[in-house]
């Protein structure tokens, strides 16, 4: 690559590092786990393309690639800037990719972003010395400023005066530095549509519990959550920001026309926190006629919806709502600052079903100070609520969360093996990163299996599943899920 190349002509490669459902969910659950579009990278690519940069996205997960396969997949030296997204469980995989890129292209500018670097920016620079920059928080505007400040001199890509770019960490004279935080994008409509045309859209699949038939495409209508749950890192901050309903409708219409979408997963930290926005969105979906073309699902808080809002969602095409219940113990809900009462859930689940919307519930086992009896209380509460689908995960205090600070930060048990951050460790047979005092890893792993078996091996869930089998493919998928439960031991 010649020297002194203008920044607008620099080719950019964005990488979603290799990982697999097998690593996360284990052999029995891998076929049912999702493979989702890396929309964070697609947003970055959309912003870069809008500014004239040639961009490629390499989704190693969707393509089933490992670093060993990369030499035949691409010529890394044709890219001046390489970005890698990192979440905590895939940290070592991302480090492998960074080492591969640096060994074959010493002059590339190597940038990392995502949840893990956002939580631990300086530590990420230390742990992956091949990186030049870490982007903290929302990356679109930060990455655009990095690109605008980038030049190629003597075969090496450099950023001129990085200290003026907010929201990054970098090295200068051997010292790791962090610039002031960047405020999130105020008007999300200023962002272009995610560059899905750069993704292998035929390679993605939705978890069986999140879709009725086929694949559900993801749309992100809002960012930010004002609540203070201790297990959440608040990746988009605490201020609720949203696209306009018209912008959300246009994105769904694009997915319908371009990819034949029939189901949409509306993903937001808490969609129902701004009721007026959600009502307006529902009205826009009805006015556009999309409620007849697509079904959609969403996640809501039990204390942020009521009959009127649920009826509006149902009319607009909502078929499923997931509620984060987390525990059947009010003591533990208070401890993790959930801000909800058990009676909130007791009221909202039957109401949601009555209105004709399917329900899904999320629970966590092994919360800090949780006793065995409280774990069993959570399982009993799940059966009492009787959602259509339930998910029991093992408590994993991720970096950037208050729970991480409370349980792992500054202690001898602070982890260095980030692959252990696996909420499905019981089914994947992985080591646990956190075990509450007085409990054992073996007990919690068996309890996760028992919880799933205890909930699903009841007459009502079995009858519901049989009633939902509209095709042989659906029946075979659910049968695979049933086999996952068989190794679980009863008798807890």
């Amino acid at each position: 690559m010649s020297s002194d190349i203008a920044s607008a002509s620099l080719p950019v490669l964005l990488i979603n590092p290799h990982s697999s459902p097998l690593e996360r969910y284990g052999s029995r659950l891998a076929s049912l786990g999702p493979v989702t579009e890396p929309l964070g990278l697609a947003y970055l690519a959309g912003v870069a393309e809008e500014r004239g940069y040639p961009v490629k996205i390499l989704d190693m997960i969707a393509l089933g690639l490992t670093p060993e396969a990369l030499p035949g997949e691409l010529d890394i030296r044709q890219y001046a800037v390489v970005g890698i997204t990192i979440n905590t469980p895939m940290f070592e995989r991302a480090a492998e990719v960074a080492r591969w890129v640096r060994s074959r292209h010493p002059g590339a500018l190597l940038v990392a972003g995502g949840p893990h670097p956002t939580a631990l920016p300086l530590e990420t620079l230390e742990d992956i010395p091949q990186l030049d920059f870490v982007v903290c928080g929302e990356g679109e505007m930060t990455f655009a400023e990095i690109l605008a400040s980038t030049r190629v001199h003597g075969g090496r890509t450099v950023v001129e005066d990085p200290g003026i770019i907010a929201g990054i960490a970098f090295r200068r004279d051997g010292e790791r530095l962090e610039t002031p935080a960047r405020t999130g994008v105020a008007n999300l409509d200023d962002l272009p549509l995610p560059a899905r045309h750069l993704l292998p859209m035929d390679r993605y699949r939705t978890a069986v519990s999140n879709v009725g038939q086929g694949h559900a495409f993801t749309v992100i209508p809002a960012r930010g959550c004002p609540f203070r749950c201790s297990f959440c890192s608040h990746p988009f901050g605490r201020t609720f920001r949203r696209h306009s309903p018209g912008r959300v409708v246009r994105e769904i219409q694009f997915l319908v026309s371009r990819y034949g979408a029939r189901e949409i997963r509306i993903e937001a930290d808490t969609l129902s926190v701004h009721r007026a926005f959600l009502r307006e969105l529902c009205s826009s979906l009805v006015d556009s006629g999309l409620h007849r073309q697509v079904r959609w699902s969403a996640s809501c808080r039990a204390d942020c919806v009521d009959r009127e809002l649920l009826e509006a969602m149902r009319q607009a095409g909502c078929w499923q709502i997931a509620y984060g219940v987390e525990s059947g113990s009010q003591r533990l809900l208070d401890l993790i600052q959930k801000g909800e009462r058990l009676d909130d859930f007791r009221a909202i689940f039957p109401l949601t079903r009555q209105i004709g919307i399917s329900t899904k519930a999320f629970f966590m086992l092994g919360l800090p100070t949780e006793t065995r009896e409280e774990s069993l209380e959570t399982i009993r509460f799940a059966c009492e609520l009787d959602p259509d689908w339930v998910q029991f995960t093992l408590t994993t205090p991720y970096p950037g969360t208050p729970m991480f600070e409370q349980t792992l930060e500054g202690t001898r048990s602070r982890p260095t093996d980030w692959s252990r951050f696996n909420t499905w460790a019981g089914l994947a047979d992985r080591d646990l990163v956190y075990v509450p005092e007085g409990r054992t890893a073996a007990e919690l792993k068996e309890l996760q299996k028992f919880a799933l078996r205890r909930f699903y091996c009841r007459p009502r869930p079995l009858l519901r599943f049989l009633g939902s089998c509209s095709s042989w493919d659906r029946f075979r998928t659910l049968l695979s899920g049933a086999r996952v439960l068989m190794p679980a031991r009863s008798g807890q």
Side-chain angles (χ1 to χ4, degrees):
M1 191 172 293
S2 62
S3 62
D4 299 326
I5 298 178
S7 65
S9 63
L10 295 178
V12 178
L13 174 65
L14 301 174
I15 301 178
N16 194 28
H18 61 300
S19 181
S20 72
L22 179 63
E23 292 176 324
R24 182 177 183 188
Y25 302 107
S27 59
R28 293 181 176 271
L29 198 60
S31 63
L32 303 180
V35 178
T36 57
E37 306 97 316
L39 287 185
L41 292 184
Y43 268 104
L44 290 180
V47 170
E49 281 192 326
E50 190 177 56
R51 287 158 171 76
Y53 298 94
V55 185
K56 175 184 175 66
I57 298 178
L58 182 67
D59 187 351
M60 298 177 69
I61 297 176
L63 297 175
L65 296 174
T66 63
E68 292 75 22
L70 286 181
E73 183 69 23
L74 80 161
D75 177 10
I76 190 64
R77 295 189 65 85
Q78 67 180 294
Y79 299 99
V81 180
V82 179
I84 303 175
T85 186
I86 309 177
N87 64 40
T88 297
M90 68 161 60
F91 181 87
E92 184 50 41
R93 299 299 193 184
E96 289 177 9
V97 173
R99 291 192 291 268
W100 183 90
V101 171
R102 183 59 74 214
S103 67
R104 288 160 178 80
H105 192 1
L109 187 76
L110 195 49
V111 184
H116 190 91
T118 293
L120 301 172
L122 299 181
E123 293 87 344
T124 300
L125 282 176
E126 180 180 8
D127 294 340
I128 308 181
Q130 294 80 12
L131 294 176
D132 295 302
F133 290 90
V134 159
V135 173
C136 308
E138 289 184 13
E140 291 92 355
M141 296 301 102
T142 306
F143 193 60
E145 288 189 20
I146 289 175
L147 294 178
S149 302
T150 297
R151 298 290 185 272
V152 176
H153 297 295
R156 182 167 180 78
T157 310
V158 298
V159 173
E160 299 177 343
D161 200 4
I164 66 173
I165 301 175
I168 64 171
F170 64 101
R171 296 182 189 85
R172 176 180 286 162
D173 299 327
E175 183 181 2
R176 289 172 287 131
L177 304 173
E178 189 173 0
T179 63
R182 179 181 294 271
T183 303
V185 177
N187 182 5
L188 295 184
D189 282 2
D190 290 340
L191 298 174
L193 287 176
R196 291 183 173 90
H197 60 281
L198 300 177
L199 298 173
M201 293 297 289
D202 60 336
R203 297 295 190 99
Y204 300 108
R205 67 171 187 253
T206 309
V208 64
S209 60
N210 288 339
V211 67
Q213 299 290 332
H215 172 63
F217 295 80
T218 301
V219 171
I220 303 174
R223 297 179 179 181
C225 176
F227 298 98
R228 298 185 175 277
C229 304
S230 67
F231 54 83
C232 181
S233 64
H234 293 86
F236 293 123
R238 297 188 184 277
T239 302
F240 182 84
R241 293 161 292 130
R242 59 185 179 83
H243 284 294
S244 64
R247 164 62 167 70
V248 178
V249 165
R250 287 194 296 275
E251 184 169 352
I252 295 175
Q253 288 172 331
F254 169 78
L255 290 171
V256 170
S257 62
R258 178 70 177 268
Y259 300 109
R262 292 294 175 264
E263 294 203 25
I264 299 293
R265 187 166 64 97
I266 294 182
E267 185 177 285
D269 289 338
T270 302
L271 182 65
S272 56
V273 68
H274 197 301
R275 298 190 191 196
F277 162 68
L278 183 50
R279 284 194 295 268
E280 188 178 354
L281 176 59
C282 289
S283 296
S284 297
L285 291 170
V286 172
D287 292 343
S288 67
L290 281 173
H291 67 303
R292 299 190 190 94
Q293 296 177 271
V294 297
R295 305 191 317 162
W296 53 277
S297 61
S299 297
C300 295
R301 279 178 62 99
D303 59 350
C304 288
V305 293
D306 54 21
R307 176 180 290 276
E308 179 186 5
L309 189 57
L310 290 172
E311 288 176 344
M313 294 172 69
R314 179 72 179 94
Q315 183 184 9
C318 178
W319 77 274
Q320 184 188 70
I321 295 177
Y323 296 104
V325 184
E326 318 312 350
S327 177
S329 162
Q330 189 62 54
R331 181 188 76 83
L332 292 174
L333 291 182
D334 295 340
L335 180 70
I336 63 176
Q337 302 182 63
K338 192 72 170 67
E340 291 173 288
R341 309 292 299 175
L342 293 177
D343 284 345
D344 294 331
F345 302 114
R346 289 189 173 103
I348 206 62
F349 275 83
L351 178 61
T352 305
R353 283 194 297 270
Q354 179 186 345
I355 289 171
I357 299 176
S358 175
T359 56
K360 183 177 181 179
F362 298 113
F363 292 92
M364 301 168 70
L365 297 171
L367 287 166
T369 75
E370 180 178 296
T371 65
R372 179 178 176 79
E373 178 53 38
E374 285 173 321
S375 296
L376 297 175
E377 191 176 349
T378 291
I379 298 170
R380 288 193 293 267
F381 190 55
C383 295
E384 175 190 339
L385 297 179
D386 194 33
D388 297 295
W389 291 92
V390 70
Q391 180 173 298
F392 293 98
T393 55
L394 297 181
T395 298
T396 306
Y398 284 100
T401 67
M403 190 177 289
F404 179 83
E405 304 295 329
Q406 296 159 4
T407 59
L408 299 176
E409 178 71 20
T411 70
R412 293 181 180 178
S413 61
R414 177 169 178 173
T416 55
D417 180 2
W418 299 110
S419 67
R420 294 171 59 198
F421 283 71
N422 187 342
T423 59
W424 292 99
L427 297 175
D429 197 22
R430 302 275 180 173
D431 292 336
L432 303 191
V433 70
Y434 172 71
V435 177
E437 187 175 351
R439 312 292 293 277
T440 68
E443 175 210 356
L444 290 174
K445 290 165 70 172
E446 287 301 319
L447 198 62
Q448 184 177 40
K449 301 173 189 176
F450 170 74
L452 291 168
R453 184 175 184 177
R454 175 68 183 86
F455 180 86
Y456 283 116
C457 294
R458 296 178 300 130
R460 276 185 292 186
L462 292 174
L463 289 174
R464 280 197 297 263
F465 287 157
L466 289 174
S468 71
C469 291
S470 56
S471 67
W472 279 109
D473 285 343
R474 180 73 171 176
F475 177 77
R476 283 193 292 268
T477 299
L478 294 176
L479 185 61
S480 296
R483 285 198 293 266
V484 171
L485 305 177
M486 292 304 101
R489 293 187 232 156
S490 58
Q492 259 89 350

